[in-house]
Amino acid sequence: MAVDCGVFVDWSQMGDVSHDAAPGKTEYKDLKELKQHARSGQWAKNHSQRSAVYQQLLKALPCRTVTPDAAVYRDIVGNSNSKRNPSAYPLPEFVDGAAVPCYCLKTESVGSVHAVISCIAGQFPDISYCPSLPAVTALLLHWSADEAQCFESVSRMLACNEPGRRLLDQTFLAYQSACMTFGDLVHKYCPAAHKLMIATATDVLEVYSDWQRWVLGDLPFSFAARVMDVYLVEGYKVLYRVALAILKFYRKQRSGAAGSALTKQDSAAVRSDIQAFVKNIGKSVTPEKLLEKAFSIRLFSRKEITLLQLANEKSLQQRGITVKQKRQNVQLAVNADNFSSEIVSAKEIRDIWSWIPERYALCQPQLLFTTSTHGCSLNRFYSHCEGYEPTLMLIRTTDGEVCGAFLSTDWEERKRGGNKLSFFGTGECFVFKMKPEMERYEWVVIKHPELANASQAADDEPEQTGANDNGGPQALEKPATEPSQLSPFLSARHFNLNSRNTSMFMAGNIDSIIIGGGEGNALYIDSELNHGRTERCLTFDNPPLCAESFQIALLEVWGFKDAMAS
């Protein structure tokens, strides 16, 4: 390479990374080989090679027709590699106070990062919120020949217009919906870590709002560089993976700490604790182990996660949350002064609220139906619950056991099957028990994605029967399979599922309601809302939620005030 791409680097901090070795392989025609090299750290020890690969990757990004390049930077700022005073180039408001990470750069190179970001702000007036920009710019400066090249690299990331692909959030709406999406992913893929957050933080959502900073800002340089390798190749989803892996390692360290009693503390303290862990992660984890953990998490596809993020964006827009404002505390979403249930306490409903999809967690609970007021009638149950989506069902048995279900779909959907007991609903449904210990059981496909490829051969099998112990045998129809634009997080219809057992979420007719199907029902409730049954079902892979046969002392259904159907 004709120009030195390490001019901004403090080589005394770079360990065994080669400054002047020949670049080696820098062009890839085989995407599989490119991904394998990125994930395995093929370029980690060779600065010139990594620089050349990055330039190839960035030049290959499809961008807007008018994307500022290095020449634009030289015209506006010049291209001095000499020391710049950071104060002469104040960071724009849209970075929200995010500092420039050192990342093994020379002290004077921080001024260059400021200069590049300052020029970016002038050339991209539509950016309103981008706190990750200082970290990304500082990283790319490592492998840039000069400031102008770094400016062009960052510009191409910001101007990327490939459908369905984004690299950097540039508005508060996009950033906040990404935080909500991360919260949804933690619920599903890091249940142990999520349980720890519930036990220790007063506001779990506030803790999760730091997720991007963990990856782009707090991770040490050797880790951040390895993440950047994969990020430029595979895109935004990599950031989710790495943040989930960080949370898993944090939970492991915290649970293994001697005498670490789980006590509730201010969210700021938990955020500081996680930040300190991430900054010192090298004491317990290698970059290889972090990426290995990240890619062992079996996430849904990039397209599906993008659709989930769009659903979260829509929810924020409907509430007018499009610019930065104080995030509503999840503890305040369930106001103890206004909440009154005969089944659960305000604390218990807050814990349940921490499980639900983030776009509904901003809503207040609204009592729709209770047997103590409306009587034990399934018809009245339907009349009070129809038109609301989603709903939360709570049951207290005569033995004092408490269980329930989060139901994603309007009960009116049952009418599409006539009087046949037809299953409907989506993969966001879950069931839970409260005592003796709180436990949630989600759609089995979340933990076992391979079931998404189950053969449709089961569609030719005889119909499953249900409710035969109490209401006589009834044919259970498979869920509707018409096309849907929703992702598998929001709908089972995108999967080629064995719908006879793994996508039987909720069903109801004049005789009974059923939650969860497949070789049993998670909850079966008779028409008088008096007798129930619970057993293992394949949809949620749950144990019995209380005594297998039970009498209902009280049943409540809660809606989500101001929730709007997706």
Side-chain angles (χ1 to χ4, degrees):
M1 193 169 292
V3 183
D4 181 9
C5 286
V7 67
F8 301 100
V9 179
D10 180 354
W11 286 98
S12 67
Q13 301 181 51
M14 292 294 287
D16 58 352
V17 176
S18 173
H19 181 190
D20 49 14
K25 185 177 181 68
T26 59
E27 295 187 25
Y28 292 84
K29 295 182 179 179
D30 182 355
L31 179 60
K32 186 175 180 181
E33 181 186 23
L34 175 63
K35 288 176 69 172
Q36 193 274 328
H37 280 195
R39 291 189 183 190
S40 64
Q42 186 76 17
W43 319 311
K45 301 298 183 185
N46 189 321
H47 193 83
S48 298
Q49 183 182 26
R50 186 180 252 158
S51 175
V53 171
Y54 279 18
Q55 296 310 314
Q56 293 288 338
L57 292 172
L58 291 162
K59 285 179 181 177
L61 284 177
C63 294
R64 298 196 292 249
T65 304
V66 180
T67 298
D69 58 12
V72 169
Y73 185 87
R74 293 188 183 102
D75 288 343
I76 296 171
V77 185
N79 199 32
S80 170
N81 287 337
S82 61
K83 183 175 180 180
R84 291 191 188 273
N85 185 351
S87 62
Y89 303 93
L91 294 178
E93 287 187 10
F94 64 64
V95 305
D96 195 29
V100 175
C102 295
Y103 282 154
C104 303
L105 293 171
K106 295 174 181 176
T107 304
E108 57 267 27
S109 298
V110 173
S112 294
V113 177
H114 277 244
V116 170
I117 294 175
S118 178
C119 191
I120 288 285
Q123 294 300 303
F124 289 84
D126 51 337
I127 298 178
S128 59
Y129 198 78
C130 191
S132 297
L133 191 60
V136 170
T137 305
L139 281 170
L140 291 178
L141 191 65
H142 255 269
W143 300 286
S144 299
D146 53 27
E147 293 171 358
Q149 188 181 66
C150 179
F151 169 83
E152 180 172 324
S153 297
V154 178
S155 294
R156 295 192 68 80
M157 290 183 71
L158 290 167
C160 176
N161 63 357
E162 181 180 339
R165 182 179 187 183
R166 78 184 193 288
L167 290 169
L168 289 168
D169 295 324
Q170 298 175 47
T171 66
F172 183 74
L173 180 63
Y175 175 86
Q176 192 75 345
S177 63
C179 292
M180 293 170 68
T181 301
F182 179 71
D184 288 327
L185 295 174
V186 175
H187 297 180
K188 297 177 185 299
Y189 298 108
C190 304
H194 185 57
K195 188 177 289 187
L196 173 66
M197 293 300 105
I198 294 170
T200 56
T202 54
D203 184 356
V204 176
L205 306 185
E206 187 179 349
V207 173
Y208 293 158
S209 69
D210 287 341
W211 77 276
Q212 283 193 29
R213 191 188 68 190
W214 301 341
V215 182
L216 296 172
D218 291 341
L219 276 177
F221 171 74
S222 59
F223 289 78
R226 290 289 303 278
V227 171
M228 183 62 80
D229 290 348
V230 195
Y231 176 37
L232 290 178
V233 173
E234 300 188 39
Y236 194 93
K237 183 179 171 184
V238 166
L239 303 183
Y240 284 133
R241 286 188 174 281
V242 174
L244 291 170
I246 286 171
L247 203 55
K248 282 177 175 283
F249 279 119
Y250 171 76
R251 200 271 322 167
K252 183 178 179 181
Q253 183 242 35
R254 183 70 192 275
S255 62
S260 56
L262 298 183
T263 56
K264 209 84 163 178
Q265 52 186 317
D266 183 75
S267 299
V270 178
R271 295 168 71 186
S272 295
D273 194 44
I274 296 176
Q275 183 180 35
F277 169 77
V278 177
K279 287 186 173 183
N280 294 284
I281 195 170
K283 294 179 179 178
S284 55
V285 180
T286 63
E288 289 75 20
K289 284 290 184 186
L290 180 64
L291 290 180
E292 182 182 316
K293 176 70 75 176
F295 286 102
S296 71
I297 301 169
R298 303 168 73 179
L299 289 182
F300 290 132
S301 74
R302 183 177 74 186
K303 176 184 176 183
E304 293 151 359
I305 292 178
T306 298
L307 288 170
L308 177 62
Q309 172 137 352
L310 290 174
N312 285 329
E313 280 192 15
K314 179 181 177 182
S315 174
L316 289 168
Q317 286 173 321
Q318 288 169 338
R319 289 168 179 77
I321 304 174
T322 57
V323 296
K324 191 183 180 193
Q325 52 191 267
K326 184 172 176 59
R327 186 183 178 99
Q328 184 180 20
N329 189 313
V330 71
Q331 300 296 331
L332 300 180
V334 183
N335 190 320
D337 294 333
N338 298 329
F339 177 77
S340 178
S341 166
E342 296 179 73
I343 298 179
V344 296
S345 66
K347 178 188 179 303
E348 288 170 327
I349 197 70
R350 285 170 181 163
D351 289 339
I352 294 170
W353 236 241
S354 73
W355 287 334
I356 65 176
E358 290 248 359
R359 64 189 184 281
Y360 302 125
L362 298 174
C363 302
Q364 288 278 350
Q366 175 183 5
L367 184 62
L368 304 177
F369 174 85
T370 171
T371 51
S372 66
T373 300
H374 303 109
C376 297
S377 162
L378 190 52
N379 282 334
R380 283 197 289 274
F381 169 94
Y382 289 137
S383 67
H384 283 275
C385 297
E386 286 175 3
Y388 291 90
E389 179 179 305
T391 54
L392 180 73
M393 180 188 294
L394 299 173
I395 297 169
R396 189 180 76 223
T397 72
T398 53
D399 293 330
E401 296 177 291
V402 175
C403 60
F406 173 80
L407 304 168
S408 64
T409 305
D410 189 340
W411 277 106
E412 195 160 15
E413 280 283 304
R414 79 189 192 285
K415 295 177 180 177
R416 297 173 66 183
N419 194 39
K420 291 183 178 180
L421 203 60
S422 303
F423 277 97
F424 56 98
T426 76
E428 288 190 315
C429 292
F430 61 83
V431 295
F432 58 89
K433 61 180 181 178
M434 299 293 291
K435 297 173 182 177
E437 185 176 318
M438 290 184 64
E439 197 66 55
R440 173 184 56 162
Y441 304 96
E442 294 187 287
W443 185 25
V444 67
V445 170
I446 291 170
K447 289 187 178 178
H448 300 283
E450 68 276 5
L451 293 176
N453 300 315
S455 170
Q456 282 185 307
D459 289 343
D460 299 323
E461 296 174 0
E463 290 182 326
Q464 179 186 338
T465 59
N468 49 16
D469 290 346
N470 299 84
Q474 300 187 51
L476 297 179
E477 290 194 341
K478 67 181 182 179
T481 55
E482 68 272 14
S484 166
Q485 295 183 348
L486 298 177
S487 80
F489 275 113
L490 314 177
S491 170
R493 296 167 187 151
H494 268 267
F495 285 111
N496 181 21
L497 288 170
N498 180 342
S499 59
R500 301 288 178 174
N501 54 38
T502 56
S503 57
M504 305 174 86
F505 300 112
M506 50 193 290
N509 63 5
I510 61 173
D511 297 314
S512 62
I513 55 177
I514 288 177
I515 313 299
E519 297 185 6
N521 304 130
L523 283 170
Y524 162 86
I525 298 171
D526 68 7
S527 61
E528 296 179 349
L529 306 185
N530 178 47
H531 178 78
R533 186 178 67 250
T534 177
E535 54 199 342
R536 178 182 178 272
C537 77
L538 294 179
T539 296
F540 299 116
D541 193 23
N542 59 283
L545 303 176
C546 56
E548 291 193 22
S549 181
F550 58 88
Q551 295 293 122
I552 298 173
L554 191 63
L555 184 150
E556 295 176 348
V557 179
W558 292 81
F560 294 74
K561 192 174 183 181
D562 299 325
M564 302 181 186
S566 299

